[in-house]
Amino acid sequence: MFEMMTGMINNIFFIIFPIILYQMFAATGKRNFFVSHRVMLTILFSISIILCMIFPYQFMTDDYIFDLRQVPMIVGALYGGPLVSAVLFLVSAIGRVFIGGDGMYIAILNQLLIAVGVPLLRPQYLRMKQLSKTLLVFGITIVSLLFNLVAGYVFFGDPIHDLIGIWLILMLNHGTIIVLTALLIEHIQRQEYLLNSLVKHEKIETVSHFAASVAHELRNPMQSIKGFVQLLQSHEYNRDKQVEFHDIILKELNDAESLIDDYLVFAKPTYGQLESVMVDEEISQVIKVTKPYASWQNVELQLLHTCEKCRVVADRQKFHQALVNIIRNGIEAMTTGGTLSIGVSNMQSSILIEIKDEGLGMTKEQVQRLGEPYFSTKTKGTGLGMMVVYSIIHQMNGTIEVDSEKGKGTIFKLYLPAADSLEEG
């Protein structure tokens, strides 16, 4: 009895293991049992059949050797279709021939009937509800074992009434195991369906948010342009006034164009000419650009430490854009003024750029959400600037770390691959 239980547990493991292995390593969100990765699952189920036959759990006589090879055969036929069923039959039949014995012919005939008949039930099976599926697989297993019982009586004259008790136990064991296997597969498929639905919903929601955000952001400059054009059409203004209106219209158009460019950088980052740039020189240029805005906000920009030979590979314009966005956010976070410091360090295979402000700071929850679409710590912000920053840095194969504490400021740490290490690689 103990040996039978041990053999049964081993057989169950041989059946469940490929399913769990598939669940662990198949591409998440792209799985559909025995449709995706059909070859891999066929191989795994073939291995299950072979192992079940090598380590059977019951020898009633030399003619009757019991194992759970029928479980992967039936499951493979129902979920994989005729081709998978044919391959599994060949594996099972060849294995049974090697084992030998008079019961070999009954076993191979039984397996042939499963391989031919069960795939015919596949279209109806896939449309059934879970309860109906479990009843069907249980019924197929019972019919298969009954065939063995009757065939043994016909070919070998085995007395059915002496063996019926043992056969009932075997039917119950086989039926229970295949039902549990089918339920496990159905659970995996249900989880994949929910995951795919969630991914699709998130994509649709993201597109919806993008559309709403673009419409909202572009509406303001468009309305201004429309208003000034209507004024120019309905009234006669002197030349100076017309020039003033034209300047405002051009400014609004430039703002709209800049907004569209930012969205394109986030939605589909593209790079122009990649080149090896000196980090110190680029930061000096960025400081010159942002210094007037910082002075207006009563913020002092300081370059604390530099690295003369530090170089990174980047699109110069996009690199500038990422640095400018971080520095501007830091300046705007210091509502009462302060000092924004910038430092560059050589970390051997990477370059570290630290940008530290003395602003309002952020909570841990806010830091975790940085770079998410439409999240901003500013009242009128859209979060677009930080989305662009994260997109550009990731395209440079870099990473961003943010240390912040409410009321004590924020430190942005940009780790970028050093150009020297890329050239060596």
Side-chain angles (χ1 to χ4, degrees):
M1 184 66 179
F2 175 77
E3 291 181 359
M4 178 180 175
M5 289 300 298
T6 302
M8 179 74 75
I9 292 172
N10 287 338
N11 273 222
I12 293 172
F13 173 77
F14 298 149
I15 294 167
I16 299 300
F17 180 72
I19 300 174
I20 301 300
L21 196 67
Y22 166 81
Q23 170 75 359
M24 291 173 60
F25 294 106
T28 303
K30 298 181 180 179
R31 297 178 292 203
N32 190 352
F33 200 81
F34 255 126
V35 174
S36 303
H37 311 289
R38 188 185 299 268
V39 174
M40 179 185 74
L41 280 170
T42 303
I43 293 172
L44 290 175
F45 269 43
S46 298
I47 294 173
S48 294
I49 291 173
I50 294 170
L51 290 174
C52 286
M53 296 173 71
I54 293 175
F55 303 100
Y57 67 84
Q58 178 68 40
F59 287 88
M60 286 178 58
T61 68
D62 291 339
D63 298 325
Y64 293 110
I65 302 172
F66 290 97
D67 53 62
L68 296 178
R69 87 192 78 145
Q70 290 181 341
V71 174
M73 284 193 65
I74 294 171
V75 169
L78 287 173
Y79 287 95
L83 183 59
V84 173
S85 182
V87 173
L88 296 180
F89 164 71
L90 289 175
V91 171
S92 178
I94 293 171
R96 191 63 184 88
V97 168
F98 275 103
I99 293 173
D102 293 336
M104 172 186 70
Y105 303 102
I106 296 176
I108 293 177
L109 180 58
N110 188 9
Q111 293 158 11
L112 178 62
L113 293 175
I114 291 174
V116 173
V118 174
L120 299 177
L121 302 174
R122 182 172 182 264
Q124 292 81 9
Y125 177 81
L126 296 178
R127 291 195 296 267
M128 290 179 178
K129 294 183 178 180
Q130 184 170 289
L131 178 60
S132 299
K133 288 182 176 180
T134 55
L135 292 175
L136 179 60
V137 295
F138 187 85
I140 293 172
T141 304
I142 299 302
V143 170
S144 173
L145 290 172
L146 282 174
F147 173 84
N148 283 344
L149 177 61
V150 173
Y153 170 75
V154 172
F155 291 107
F156 303 115
D158 296 329
I160 294 179
H161 61 277
D162 291 342
L163 301 174
I164 192 67
I166 298 175
W167 278 99
L168 287 175
I169 294 174
L170 293 173
M171 290 178 187
L172 181 62
N173 288 341
H174 279 236
T176 301
I177 291 166
I178 196 169
V179 164
L180 292 176
T181 304
L183 288 175
L184 176 61
I185 293 172
E186 289 297 311
H187 174 73
I188 292 173
Q189 286 193 317
R190 187 164 56 253
Q191 292 297 109
E192 287 304 315
Y193 174 78
L194 292 174
L195 180 59
N196 287 331
S197 298
L198 179 61
V199 170
K200 186 181 294 185
H201 174 74
E202 287 180 347
K203 288 180 179 179
I204 293 173
E205 187 177 16
T206 299
V207 172
S208 175
H209 279 309
F210 251 111
S213 181
V214 170
H216 173 73
E217 295 299 323
L218 289 180
R219 185 174 290 115
N220 292 334
M222 291 299 104
Q223 287 178 342
S224 297
I225 293 169
K226 181 180 178 181
F228 282 109
V229 170
Q230 288 174 340
L231 285 175
L232 290 171
Q233 286 178 336
S234 58
H235 296 86
E236 291 290 339
Y237 292 98
N238 58 42
R239 180 59 182 168
D240 292 338
K241 202 66 175 178
Q242 289 179 6
V243 170
E244 180 184 349
F245 285 174
H246 287 159
D247 289 341
I248 295 174
I249 290 172
L250 286 175
K251 179 182 179 301
E252 295 294 336
L253 286 173
N254 288 332
D255 289 344
E257 185 179 15
S258 176
L259 180 69
I260 292 172
D261 289 340
D262 282 347
Y263 270 102
L264 290 176
V265 168
F266 173 71
K268 189 176 181 181
T270 56
Y271 276 79
Q273 182 180 359
L274 293 177
E275 55 185 312
S276 177
V277 298
M278 301 296 295
V279 177
D280 282 359
E281 293 179 3
E282 303 309 314
I283 289 178
S284 297
Q285 290 294 325
V286 169
I287 289 176
K288 288 180 181 179
V289 171
T290 55
K291 196 168 185 178
Y293 182 67
S295 299
W296 185 60
Q297 298 282 357
N298 198 27
V299 172
E300 180 185 357
L301 299 181
Q302 287 186 351
L303 186 58
L304 294 182
H305 47 87
T306 61
C307 178
E308 294 182 358
K309 297 183 179 180
C310 288
R311 297 181 298 125
V312 296
V313 176
D315 178 336
R316 192 184 301 270
Q317 182 182 357
K318 300 301 181 186
F319 186 38
H320 276 205
Q321 186 178 7
L323 294 176
V324 167
N325 283 353
I326 296 175
I327 292 173
R328 283 181 64 91
N329 281 349
I331 293 170
E332 291 170 0
M334 291 184 279
T335 55
T336 58
T339 301
L340 187 144
S341 57
I342 305 169
V344 182
S345 304
N346 189 342
M347 310 291 289
Q348 294 183 346
S349 61
S350 63
I351 307 300
L352 170 60
I353 303 174
E354 289 186 276
I355 303 173
K356 179 180 180 181
D357 66 58
E358 300 173 345
L360 300 174
M362 294 175 285
T363 63
K364 290 182 179 180
E365 292 76 14
Q366 289 174 325
V367 170
Q368 289 175 352
R369 294 194 62 189
L370 279 178
E372 287 186 9
Y374 321 110
F375 172 77
S376 176
T377 57
K378 293 180 283 188
T379 306
K380 296 182 179 180
T382 63
L384 187 59
M386 287 311 303
M387 288 194 298
V388 170
V389 169
Y390 274 81
S391 180
I392 292 172
I393 298 302
H394 289 163
Q395 285 292 314
M396 294 174 64
N397 296 318
T399 58
I400 301 177
E401 291 182 6
V402 182
D403 296 328
S404 186
E405 187 175 348
K406 201 70 175 175
K408 294 187 178 181
T410 302
I411 303 176
F412 275 84
K413 298 178 181 179
L414 311 182
Y415 293 91
L416 303 172
D420 294 338
S421 65
L422 293 176
E423 292 170 0
E424 292 174 2

